[in-house]
Amino acid sequence: MLLTITGKDALISAKNVVVLTGAGISAESGVPTFRGEGGLWRNFRAEELATPEAFEANPKLVWEWYDWRRQLLKPLKPNKGHEVIARFEKRFPEFLLITQNVDGLHEKAGSKKMVELHGNIWKVKCLKEGKVTDNFEVPLSRIPPSCECGAMLRPHIVWFGESLPYDAIQQAYRAANECDVMLVVGTSTVVQPAASLPIIAKENGAHVIEVNTEETPISSIVNESLIGKAGDILPEIERLIDL
Ligand code: BV8
């Protein structure tokens, strides 16, 4: 059984739907997840490199990691899971996609009503002016890259130990508090504060549906834990509710 009847009815009658995604939604596009076997680069784990301290100590090494990820990401395309979520925007009166991913694949799939909690690997920020600009240069011609003003650029990404953008996390908390249904797709629910969003939704009375290839710490708390690939399950859910 895919969705329970309750889950199907909850989605069909939903006025306000939130989708929270993590690295698992991009796995079928070929993007290594953080905590799966693909999460290593030169034997470093993401948590060791995605920190202000690592960047301070060795900006070249951290930028080489991002440049490697950008080269890997450049040819990759959104998958069926991203595309269903992009279509869901028009399906429900109120909708918000909250993603932890920085790969830009949701935007490529057409998602617009979206909050990127952890930034975007295709944006850079000037350390002096604080200006955020797009940067699609692959590979980077200079590592670390610098701004026209001469100052060093950093990835416009939220590192461990850094606060999330205030507006983004407030919008996410509000959406979690107000939604009728939350779909939690492809996240290990390890990283805070994103991992608290499904709990907030459940406490607000939303019907929370998890889609993951394995159990997670919230699987026993959500209303429905659907085990399988997002690229298989999301199109199934779309078919089921559009019948
Ligand atoms: C914060 C950008 C307030 C980087 C990321 C000590 C000091 C400071 C903070 C902390 C601390 N101890 C704990 C914290 C909080 C910390 C935290 O949560 N740490 C964890 C590791 C315990 N959080 C923070 O630091 C956050 N900021 O708290 O600010 C503050 C400030 C100062 C001091 C104190 C507090 C900032 C967190 C943001 C970090 N940046 N990304 C980059 O990408 O380069 S997080 C990183 O993890 C990614 O964004 C990723 O999205 C995110 C979560 O991982 P997942 O997306 O869930 O990916 P994962 O690989 O884990 O799981 C994939 C899942 O998919 C699996 O479940 C798998 O089964 C499933 N799957 C696989 N294939 C499929 C699938 N599912 C469906 N279909 C498939 N085909």
Side-chain angles (χ1 to χ4, degrees), residues 51-91:
T51 69
E53 295 77 15
F55 188 74
E56 177 82 28
N58 192 337
K60 184 170 177 297
L61 176 72
V62 173
W63 263 117
E64 283 171 351
W65 178 48
Y66 281 100
D67 187 46
W68 173 77
R69 288 169 66 188
R70 286 157 52 112
Q71 291 184 54
L72 187 98
L73 277 170
K74 184 150 174 90
L76 301 186
K77 302 256 180 298
N79 62 59
K80 287 179 288 178
H82 293 108
E83 288 159 2
V84 168
I85 293 170
R87 288 195 293 271
F88 273 179
E89 279 189 16
K90 303 176 189 67
R91 172 103 183 37

Side-chain angles (χ1 to χ4, degrees), residues 21-25 27-28 33-36 47 50 65-66 69 100-102 118 157-164 185-193 211-214 216 228-231:
T21 61
I25 187 78
E28 290 158 82
T33 58
F34 279 82
R35 290 163 192 86
E47 282 83 358
W65 178 48
Y66 281 100
R69 288 169 66 188
Q100 300 172 84
N101 299 344
V102 299
H118 297 156
I157 281 192
V158 181
W159 284 328
F160 291 98
E162 293 187 318
S163 300
L164 276 61
V185 185
T187 178
S188 57
T189 65
V190 160
V191 173
Q192 294 297 350
V211 176
N212 199 307
T213 43
E214 60 189 27
T216 71
K229 291 184 174 181

Side-chain angles (χ1 to χ4, degrees), residues 124-132 147 149 151-154:
V124 293
K125 184 169 157 182
C126 172
L127 289 181
K128 186 164 156 251
E129 302 159 327
K131 199 175 54 177
V132 175
C147 176
C149 77
M152 192 187 297
L153 293 168
R154 64 163 279 177

Side-chain angles (χ1 to χ4, degrees), residues 10-237:
L11 264 172
I12 288 173
S13 57
K15 298 280 175 288
N16 182 331
V17 170
V18 167
V19 178
L20 170 68
T21 61
I25 187 78
S26 296
E28 290 158 82
S29 294
V31 185
T33 58
F34 279 82
R35 290 163 192 86
E37 65 287 344
L40 279 176
W41 172 76
R42 290 190 204 165
N43 294 326
F44 288 104
R45 297 214 58 78
E47 282 83 358
E48 295 171 86
L49 294 169
T51 69
E53 295 77 15
F55 188 74
E56 177 82 28
N58 192 337
K60 184 170 177 297
L61 176 72
V62 173
W63 263 117
E64 283 171 351
W65 178 48
Y66 281 100
D67 187 46
W68 173 77
R69 288 169 66 188
R70 286 157 52 112
Q71 291 184 54
L72 187 98
L73 277 170
K74 184 150 174 90
L76 301 186
K77 302 256 180 298
N79 62 59
K80 287 179 288 178
H82 293 108
E83 288 159 2
V84 168
I85 293 170
R87 288 195 293 271
F88 273 179
E89 279 189 16
K90 303 176 189 67
R91 172 103 183 37
F92 299 102
E94 283 195 68
F95 178 89
L96 184 67
L97 165 61
I98 303 168
T99 188
Q100 300 172 84
N101 299 344
V102 299
D103 58 33
L105 288 178
H106 280 301
E107 191 178 358
K108 263 189 181 173
S111 285
K112 294 183 176 49
K113 295 179 185 171
M114 172 173 74
V115 171
E116 290 179 317
L117 287 185
H118 297 156
N120 186 306
I121 202 165
W122 301 109
K123 291 182 189 299
V124 293
K125 184 169 157 182
C126 172
L127 289 181
K128 186 164 156 251
E129 302 159 327
K131 199 175 54 177
V132 175
T133 50
D134 289 336
N135 177 307
F136 297 102
E137 189 187 26
V138 173
L140 286 168
S141 48
R142 282 187 60 188
I143 290 187
S146 48
C147 176
E148 283 129 34
C149 77
M152 192 187 297
L153 293 168
R154 64 163 279 177
H156 182 50
I157 281 192
V158 181
W159 284 328
F160 291 98
E162 293 187 318
S163 300
L164 276 61
Y166 179 79
D167 296 348
I169 194 62
Q170 289 310 315
Q171 191 181 358
Y173 282 143
R174 200 168 37 253
N177 266 303
E178 294 169 359
C179 64
D180 310 315
V181 175
M182 178 181 276
L183 279 164
V184 183
V185 185
T187 178
S188 57
T189 65
V190 160
V191 173
Q192 294 297 350
S196 58
L197 294 168
I199 312 300
I200 293 169
K202 188 81 176 44
E203 283 166 357
N204 111 50
H207 190 91
V208 182
I209 302 165
E210 183 184 38
V211 176
N212 199 307
T213 43
E214 60 189 27
E215 298 237 318
T216 71
I218 65 164
S219 298
S220 56
I221 305 166
V222 297
N223 299 83
E224 318 204 23
S225 165
L226 309 178
I227 302 294
K229 291 184 174 181
D232 296 334
I233 290 182
L234 290 178
E236 267 303 295
I237 289 178

